[in-house]
Every structure is written in structure tokens, then in C-alpha cells.
Amino acid sequence: MTASPPATPQELRCLIVEDQVMFLQLLRSMLEAMPGLQVVATATRQADAIALCSGDDAPDLLILDLALPDGDGLAVAEALAATRPHAKVVVLSGQASSFVCPAALQPLIAGVVDKTSAFGQLTQVLERCLPHSTEPLTPRQEEIYGLIGQGLTNKEIARATELSVATVETHRKAIAQKLGVSGSELVRQASLRSRLHAVEG
């Protein structure tokens, strides 16, 4: 269980509960880069997560793996519902299509994300939760962002996509503007997402 500095008043306070440590670290790196969201703690066990959801510092947003080593993740959501009934929960599951949400928790559930395609789906769900979400990337921008994450230069991306270098540069600037980052930070975030996709695969 780890904690972070307090969120600012404009940010949603997020707790990530996930028992796969590498996946947890990648999720945290991704979410910490999202405007309007502050990852204030992480947990790998049900007991630790329940403790974090039961106090005065309970999160506004819970990213929740259902299959935890010491119990069902839904118990964590129930603890959060008792403390902060207006919080939101995003469920992570390897069997998302068969997940049945208990009626009492339905008001909290913002989305159910299949862990085999976690990042793309999670981003879409969080954009609905965040008060000031950024404009989503277009399919072409998503493609170019993925190639940036693989370490390709603009010229290499142009060859891979059959676009001109100038067009790639235009897309790259648009991506940077939408994500609110540029230069080495854009490359770092793209690389993190590429690593996350590799873990999902």
C-alpha cells in the first residue's frame, strides 16, 4: 500500500487497487499524467484498500480489480459506498462481459473495463468522470501516438503511415495540445502506454 501527496481541490482523488504490481505501476504512471486526477494511494490487497476507503481521506475515484489475493474487490467498493456515496468506481476485470453489478453499488459504477484492453477503455471511462476532460485523440492521432511510443522518429512514422513528414508533425502538435504535454514528456507518456499495451497483450 502506498500513498501520495494530497490532491488539490480541483482534482479527483484516485485510489488504484490492483494485485499485479507491474500492471499497477503502469496504470499509476498513466493516470498521474491525466489532468484533473491525482493518484493519492495504491493497494494490492483487499484489507488495505478497505482501510483506505473507510477513513476521512476516502478517494473520489476508485480503480478496482475484482480478483484480489485476500478477497473480492466488491467489498472495497462497498466500504467506499458507506463512506463516500457519491464517489465513482471503475471496475477492472478479466471477465468484464460477465460482470453483474450488485444493485446497491450501481450508482457508484462509472464503468467496467476488460483488463485485456484496459488502457483504451479506461481512458474513455475516466474522460466521463473528470470534470475537465480533454478532447479525445482521433484514430489517426492514436495510431501516431502509438508509433511515438515505439520510439519512431517523425520520418519513420511518415513511412509507416504513408503520410508526409509535415502531416506527421501537424498530428504530433495536435496530440501534444490535446494531452497538454510536449517534447520528451510526450515521448515518455507514449512509451508508458506502449508498455502497458505490451503487458495487456
Side-chain angles (χ1 to χ4, degrees):
M1 180 173 65
T2 62
S4 298
T8 67
Q10 293 77 29
E11 293 177 318
L12 287 181
R13 302 172 67 260
C14 177
L15 165 64
I16 306 173
V17 182
E18 165 61 54
D19 67 324
Q20 297 179 20
V21 176
M22 180 178 292
F23 191 65
L24 171 62
Q25 291 173 343
L26 288 170
L27 278 176
R28 181 171 189 160
S29 296
M30 290 293 182
L31 299 184
E32 285 180 337
M34 293 190 70
L37 188 153
Q38 171 66 45
V39 178
V40 294
T42 63
T44 58
R45 299 177 61 82
Q46 181 201 67
D48 293 335
I50 288 176
L52 288 165
C53 289
S54 301
D56 294 336
D57 293 329
D60 306 304
L61 176 66
L62 174 63
I63 311 298
L64 178 65
D65 182 12
L66 291 181
L68 299 172
D70 58 337
D72 188 346
L74 285 178
V76 181
E78 291 170 355
L80 181 60
T83 304
R84 188 155 294 179
H86 299 297
K88 293 298 181 183
V89 178
V90 178
V91 171
L92 298 176
S93 174
Q95 299 175 331
S97 61
S98 61
F99 171 72
V100 178
C101 179
L105 294 178
Q106 287 180 3
L108 274 74
I109 304 298
V112 180
V113 174
D114 193 322
K115 291 182 73 172
T116 60
S117 56
F119 181 73
Q121 291 186 16
L122 183 59
T123 300
Q124 293 174 12
V125 172
L126 292 179
E127 284 173 351
R128 297 197 299 268
C129 294
L130 294 171
H132 302 291
S133 60
T134 56
E135 184 182 353
L137 301 182
T138 66
R140 176 64 87 178
Q141 289 168 351
E142 286 281 1
E143 179 186 12
I144 291 173
Y145 190 44
L147 294 173
I148 293 171
Q150 295 175 28
L152 274 63
T153 65
N154 286 351
K155 289 183 179 179
E156 291 168 336
I157 293 172
R159 285 197 294 269
T161 57
E162 298 184 347
L163 298 172
S164 69
V165 174
T167 299
V168 171
E169 290 174 348
T170 298
H171 280 303
R172 189 166 183 148
K173 289 177 182 177
I175 293 167
Q177 184 175 9
K178 286 183 177 181
L179 299 181
V181 295
S182 60
S184 60
E185 181 61 18
L186 177 66
V187 175
R188 186 187 73 82
Q189 290 188 23
S191 177
L192 282 170
R193 190 177 75 157
S194 179
R195 288 166 54 199
L196 180 58
H197 282 319
V199 172
E200 292 171 354

